Amino acid sequence: MAIASISSWYAGNETLIQNILIYALLAFSVQVVLRAGVFSLAGIGFYAIGSYTAALLLKKGWPTVPSILAAVLLCILLGYLLALLLVRLRDLYLAMATVAFDLMVGVVATNWTGLTGGPLGVTGIPLVMGTLPIFLTAVGAMLLLGLLQRGVLGRSFEAIREDEPLALTLAIDTSRYRHFAFVISCVLGCLAGAYHALLFGTIEPTDAGFELIVLALSMVIIGGFRSWAGALLGAILLTWLPLELTSVGSWLNLVYGGLMIVLATWLPGGLLDALRALLRLPARLRLLLRSPSSLAATGEERG
Amino acid sequence: MSAAPLLEVRDASVRFGGVHALRGAELSVSTGSLCGLIGPNGSGKSTLVNVISRLTKLTGGALLMDGDEIDSLSADRARAAGIARTFQTVRLLPSMDVLANVMLGGATHFAQRSVAVNWLWPPRRANANRTARQAALVALERVGMAAHAHARPQALPYGQQRRVEIARALASRPRLLLLDEPTAGMSHHEREEVGDLLMELRREGLTQVLVEHDLAMIHRVCDHAHALNFGRVIASGSTQEVAADPGVREAYLGHGSSGERAQDSERAQESGPPESPAKVSQ
Amino acid sequence: MLQQLINAIVFGSVLTLFSLGLSLAWGTLDVLNLAHGAVFVFAGFITYELTKDSTMSFVPTLIVASLAAGAVTLALELVAFRRIRLHFPARRQAELSMLVVSVGAATVIGEVVSHQTSEAAFSPPASAFSIHRYSLGGSVGITNIQILIVVAAIIVAVALDQGIRRTRYGRAIRALAYDPTTTQLLGVNVGAVAAATMFLAGALAGLAGVMLAIYLGGEEVATGQDYLLTAFAILIVGGVGSIRGAIVSAYLIALAETAVVAYGPSQWRDGVAFLLILVMLLVRPQGLFARRRFQRA
Ligand SMILES: Nc1ncnc2c1ncn2[C@@H]1O[C@H](COP(=O)(O)OP(=O)(O)OP(=O)(O)O)[C@@H](O)[C@H]1O
Ligand SMILES: [Mg+2]
């Protein structure tokens, strides 16, 4: 009974779940750099590179796994080189350069007709991808990102974000750490793009444009950029809500936009932070009732 | 007493655009000594500390540790090589508790190793977390802050935040400790305690450079002192000699108009909490 | 050839009007305002609303639409940017938050406009501004709106450049760009200067938006984005915070893009801006014309 209803629910929502997983990977790619204080949006450009590479190799007759692996390797290489090029840039300058990179990838994809099919994009990609591999990849990414934000290593990234000179005096080689986060971001973007192409069978050069940058950034900011869980929350909300709130329909973007303004101004930790604060509330109240003065001293929580 | 110098600063100069923060400063700190550094506001003390901790590049001159040049060392390497510091304005991270802050100071060895391996190799992670925690607890105990390990730094009084900073610097067991006005904003009693701590550390053989406005404190804890003015060392020697130096008195008390200047001990307090965040590396 | 040059100069003038506000906001307040393009289109939309039933003539429309654009940007400053500046002491966090706010604002404004216009391109009626074309011999000619755009750009550019150099407000702006904390300590009302700057930035975008709506005969929400990206290239080439740099590079980029469209592979037109941004950031991040102290990279 229960199994039957679950599987029918799943059948009805499979595309939604696939979309959530792919967007989650893309959101992770933005979150992992923002958490390290690296203001890179290059993940979206690598989404395009990953989708084209995997799709074109597959169409040439390569098997699935090698196509995806080749895309990932290419992205590691390109990401590493790009990081070397952009090593001097920080903050808004880096954001600008990576946005320019993303859009440049789109321009190249539109105009290198011989390779990419030009404005028409790529169609007829073999649909070799199922939900399970994507699900496993997303879970793997969550585990690894969880490790990356825990313990001394995780706090080192936090130190780099909050106070880079201080991090240096704590023996943290900040440029190496930033570089590292950058490449991880490229790989995650690449995987999201490759999976999307192999799952839905078409690529358009405008897929990874300005809208996707805004969408990925919105997911991370609305969900919360300090943890992968926030990025996941954002990906779920922003993929699922449009389907659910058809009554709001065309005003939905307005809600997102407003939410981004409100969150960025009043709650930079995103909805995840709000959620956590809410969950802590009963415990805090209890503590307050027992001994009001102990509240300040026991704030054991991770940012 | 006068062992070989652990640290030597030779003819150091630093320019920020048109500002000459250091112009030919000379300094020599012998192993195991506690060296005081005094000078009026803007005389280049913090800049000198930044130079030694490698946050600021020298425009000219040389920096030697154990007789080897270290001017090309990056700040993270310098810390790994044993140069630890505190900041004039407290720089604890508000997003983590006191223990976690100090643990970052105790994980300098881990921080220097490959990020990928640190990330993916469980034994190394576990080991780093364990040793950093132990080092942090020991350091917190030393500064008398063990009871507050799980407090948020911003919830603590300013004097206690400063002690946490000292603990963070101590956690990696440095060879050279640079303290930039560690007692600013502290009560008299707290200052005495920090003074005791510094002397105790010195007895254990830790070399220290102490930037301090309070001449009484310098007298009490330091072996010798250097006085800076306009980026130059204008006097050095025993604390009495430096304090008695006419040039130093002139620099400190102003050009003749001594009356309106505050007492030394009060000056230390007035340079309390937050300063210009525009100065990136105070 | 001559016609291409005229087109380039007109295009460069629109870009100048558009990018000056963006440069001012980033250079003095660390605001990378991604809503600038949306505000620009918003002004075009107001023009359309005011003139579609031919109720208002050109000059009042121009003024109202520019003020409306300024007011929207000012609202952003008062609602969000000011609070962020006060409450987020870490500059990196503040920059990120302000960027995100501007993305949100761009979405909101774009959504309102596209909703009101049913997501189609909107064009003010021909009666809003009667366009004359003056022939300069042969097929070469220039229209009155083109002349107006160029004149407006020159006036604004000169006024802003001199204003920043000469007036009290200009000195406050420069001080703020250099060191906000000290500026505050010196008794400058930072909040007021920031508000005035953001209002001015928005109004300039509005001015450009109105003129462009008339010149092109229509705009849509996506127009703002295209201009925004070109303006980024202008900022980077000219150097962030440099008024003269922005002016010079606006015309240079207009010339380059016009040349690519006219004589080169025209589909690479967008590539010009992105490539310039990347190359400049790599080679000379402080811009071609700015002095070094504005470098924030
Ligand atoms: N990052 C910087 N950029 C420009 N000028 C700087 C910078 N850091 C310091 N200075 C200038 O260098 C000079 C020396 O400053 P420094 O902070 O070393 O003085 P100090 O002796 O530590 O003073 P205080 O007692 O106030 O801490 C000052 O004039 C200061 O304004
Ligand atoms: Mg100082």
Side-chain angles (χ1 to χ4, degrees):
Chain A
M1 233 325 253
I3 293 177
S5 73
I6 287 178
S7 71
S8 81
W9 175 85
Y10 177 76
N13 289 285
E14 185 161 13
T15 316
L16 171 66
I17 292 170
Q18 291 167 342
N19 270 317
I20 287 179
L21 292 172
I22 286 170
Y23 280 129
L25 285 174
L26 187 65
F28 291 160
S29 109
V30 175
Q31 184 266 333
V32 73
V33 269
L34 285 193
R35 184 169 190 284
V38 178
F39 224 174
S40 161
L41 293 162
I44 286 83
F46 281 90
Y47 177 93
I49 295 176
S51 64
Y52 274 103
T53 312
L56 293 175
L57 288 177
L58 205 66
K59 281 191 83 171
K60 274 204 168 154
W62 283 45
T64 313
V65 175
S67 306
I68 295 176
L69 273 184
V72 168
L73 286 179
L74 180 70
C75 289
I76 291 179
L77 182 70
L78 288 179
Y80 186 80
L81 292 178
L82 190 63
L84 277 185
L85 281 178
L86 302 180
V87 66
R88 282 194 302 159
L89 302 182
R90 294 268 189 286
D91 305 333
L92 294 182
Y93 289 86
L94 182 62
M96 177 136 298
T98 51
V99 168
F101 168 78
D102 296 344
L103 299 171
M104 199 69 213
V105 171
V107 172
V108 171
T110 313
N111 295 313
W112 193 351
T113 315
L115 181 71
T116 62
L120 299 178
V122 186
T123 49
I125 305 163
L127 300 178
V128 291
M129 190 47 67
T131 310
L132 190 65
I134 305 183
F135 177 74
L136 291 180
T137 310
V139 170
M142 290 175 214
L143 289 175
L144 290 177
L145 291 179
L147 277 181
L148 200 60
Q149 67 192 43
R150 281 183 49 196
V152 173
L153 183 67
R155 284 185 223 119
S156 302
F157 279 109
E158 246 169 277
I160 296 170
R161 181 185 75 230
E162 289 185 21
D163 191 341
E164 203 165 330
L166 169 72
L168 278 169
T169 67
L170 297 171
I172 299 166
D173 183 349
T174 55
S175 43
R176 194 139 55 90
Y177 279 66
R178 294 169 56 97
H179 212 119
F180 189 81
F182 190 94
V183 175
I184 298 287
S185 159
C186 296
V187 170
L188 286 166
C190 168
L191 281 173
Y195 285 164
H196 188 268
L198 305 194
L199 194 60
F200 296 107
T202 56
I203 304 174
E204 283 177 35
T206 47
D207 280 351
F210 202 68
E211 278 86 41
L212 194 63
I213 298 176
V214 170
L215 181 65
L217 190 62
S218 320
M219 287 174 173
V220 175
I221 296 299
I222 289 178
F225 75 96
R226 296 210 183 98
S227 164
W228 61 265
L232 179 65
L233 183 66
I236 293 174
L237 281 180
L238 267 65
T239 317
W240 173 66
L241 277 184
L243 302 177
E244 208 59 24
L245 298 180
T246 39
S247 58
V248 195
S250 53
W251 290 108
L252 197 70
N253 281 332
L254 198 80
V255 176
Y256 291 163
L259 204 55
M260 280 173 83
I261 297 179
V262 170
L263 288 176
T265 313
W266 281 274
L267 201 70
L271 290 180
L272 190 70
D273 254 21
L275 217 60
R276 281 186 178 161
L278 220 58
L279 291 178
R280 264 201 318 270
L281 207 58
R284 294 207 129 200
L285 279 180
R286 224 176 304 129
L287 205 64
L288 194 67
L289 289 179
R290 221 179 301 146
S291 55
S293 61
S294 67
L295 198 59
T298 37
E300 236 296 30
E301 79 247 12
R302 295 278 110 82
Chain B
M1 169 72 216
S2 68
L6 176 68
L7 178 84
E8 255 186 289
V9 181
R10 284 194 195 146
D11 194 26
S13 63
V14 169
R15 296 181 60 155
F16 298 108
V19 181
H20 261 98
L22 288 181
R23 33 184 120 199
E26 301 265 350
L27 190 75
S28 160
V29 184
S30 50
T31 307
S33 69
L34 207 174
C35 164
L37 199 57
I38 62 170
N41 291 101
S43 57
K45 304 181 296 295
S46 295
T47 305
L48 190 54
V49 169
N50 286 345
V51 162
I52 301 171
S53 61
R54 306 305 308 124
L55 280 179
T56 298
K57 300 249 171 305
L58 279 174
T59 336
L63 190 65
L64 289 89
M65 186 149 128
D66 296 325
D68 298 327
E69 289 229 9
I70 56 165
D71 2 344
S72 55
L73 222 56
S74 57
D76 59 296
R77 291 284 172 85
R79 174 67 184 251
I83 302 178
R85 67 167 293 174
T86 67
F87 290 89
Q88 184 168 353
T89 44
V90 172
R91 279 165 93 161
L92 298 169
L93 300 174
S95 63
M96 47 187 99
D97 64 16
V98 162
L99 179 65
N101 266 291
V102 180
M103 276 172 73
L104 278 177
T108 53
H109 181 60
F110 176 77
Q112 286 277 299
R113 304 176 77 175
S114 152
V115 189
V117 180
N118 285 350
W119 178 30
L120 297 173
W121 185 235
R124 179 160 322 158
R125 294 179 66 97
N127 184 39
N129 286 333
R130 197 178 53 246
T131 47
R133 173 178 290 266
Q134 273 161 7
L137 288 173
V138 170
L140 281 172
E141 187 72 50
R142 287 224 76 159
V143 301
M145 289 294 295
H148 301 277
H150 293 294
R152 293 265 144 179
Q154 63 273 29
L156 296 174
Y158 197 66
Q160 295 193 344
Q161 295 186 24
R162 305 221 69 130
R163 293 178 188 215
V164 175
E165 274 232 330
I166 299 176
R168 182 173 64 190
L170 285 176
S172 63
R173 304 184 145 275
R175 298 177 58 207
L176 174 64
L177 176 61
L178 310 168
L179 299 146
D180 196 350
E181 301 193 29
T183 63
M186 285 189 176
S187 70
H188 179 73
H189 178 67
E190 281 178 313
R191 265 188 284 160
E192 298 272 288
E193 279 183 2
V194 169
D196 291 342
L197 172 67
L198 300 189
M199 287 193 288
E200 195 180 304
L201 289 169
R202 182 181 157 243
R203 276 195 294 279
E204 292 165 17
L206 177 62
T207 316
Q208 297 164 72
V209 174
L210 170 66
V211 176
E212 182 58 71
H213 274 302
D214 181 358
L215 279 179
M217 172 89 160
I218 294 270
H219 268 310
R220 191 162 89 87
V221 304
C222 296
D223 319 298
H224 61 286
H226 300 264
L228 273 179
N229 198 19
F230 295 116
R232 283 197 190 86
V233 174
I234 54 169
S236 48
S238 76
T239 55
Q240 281 88 351
E241 282 165 12
V242 171
D245 187 279
V248 174
R249 298 200 75 81
E250 159 115 0
Y252 250 83
L253 300 175
H255 306 281
S257 63
S258 56
E260 57 176 283
R261 280 306 187 117
Q263 292 295 305
D264 290 336
S265 55
E266 281 168 16
R267 291 174 54 91
Q269 279 174 345
E270 89 196 358
S271 54
E275 282 235 341
S276 150
K279 288 187 199 169
V280 184
S281 40
Q282 274 259 319
Chain C
M1 177 68 203
L2 185 60
Q3 187 66 58
Q4 298 296 353
L5 195 64
I6 292 174
N7 291 347
I9 290 174
V10 174
F11 182 43
S13 302
V14 175
L15 288 179
T16 302
L17 286 175
F18 183 76
S19 54
L20 279 178
L22 205 61
S23 177
L24 209 55
W26 185 358
T28 48
L29 302 170
D30 289 332
V31 179
L32 176 49
N33 187 6
L34 293 182
H36 204 69
V39 167
F40 164 85
V41 171
F42 179 72
F45 165 71
I46 296 283
T47 310
Y48 162 73
E49 285 288 320
L50 291 176
T51 56
K52 71 179 173 193
D53 307 318
S54 353
T55 44
M56 208 184 248
S57 58
F58 177 69
V59 175
T61 307
L62 184 74
I63 294 173
V64 172
S66 302
L67 291 182
V72 169
T73 314
L74 177 64
L76 269 186
E77 159 70 19
L78 297 182
V79 171
F81 298 151
R82 167 171 295 180
R83 198 195 127 83
I84 291 171
R85 221 172 283 128
L86 289 177
H87 288 259
F88 300 1
R91 207 181 88 199
R92 179 174 282 162
Q93 177 69 50
E95 281 182 359
L96 172 63
S97 288
M98 293 198 280
L99 182 77
V100 169
V101 164
S102 75
V103 171
T107 313
V108 169
I109 298 169
E111 201 59 23
V112 168
V113 172
S114 65
H115 213 263
Q116 296 298 315
T117 58
S118 319
E119 300 185 22
F122 50 89
S123 27
S127 61
F129 186 92
S130 53
I131 294 180
H132 298 290
R133 188 168 187 280
Y134 309 102
S135 178
L136 302 177
S139 62
V140 180
I142 187 165
T143 59
N144 51 354
I145 182 74
Q146 286 182 320
I147 296 175
L148 195 62
I149 289 176
V150 175
V151 170
I154 292 174
I155 292 176
V156 166
V158 171
L160 201 60
D161 182 59
Q162 291 303 310
I164 295 276
R165 266 158 223 276
R166 301 271 157 84
T167 64
R168 246 172 75 86
Y169 166 72
R171 272 199 298 280
I173 290 248
R174 276 181 295 150
L176 203 57
Y178 193 66
D179 183 348
T181 318
T182 312
T183 310
Q184 179 122 41
L185 292 178
L186 290 175
V188 173
N189 185 344
V190 170
V193 174
T197 306
M198 291 311 289
F199 180 82
L200 184 62
L204 288 179
L207 193 63
V210 178
M211 305 256 217
L212 195 76
I214 305 246
Y215 173 44
L216 295 183
E219 274 179 1
E220 57 185 328
V221 172
T223 317
Q225 255 164 43
D226 297 343
Y227 274 80
L228 192 61
L229 294 166
T230 313
F232 286 164
I234 291 167
L235 251 66
I236 299 293
V237 172
V240 171
S242 157
I243 301 291
R244 291 183 181 183
I247 298 166
V248 173
S249 58
Y251 287 102
L252 281 182
I253 286 178
L255 216 57
E257 286 203 2
T258 311
V260 169
V261 173
Y263 308 106
S266 60
Q267 72 272 26
W268 288 94
R269 171 190 178 148
D270 294 332
V272 173
F274 310 145
L275 200 63
L276 269 176
I277 294 178
L278 276 175
V279 171
M280 279 302 296
L281 282 176
L282 295 178
V283 179
R284 210 181 136 81
Q286 72 272 34
L288 281 182
F289 309 101
R291 271 161 293 154
R292 238 195 132 68
R293 67 173 179 157
F294 276 109
Q295 183 185 359
R296 296 271 178 78

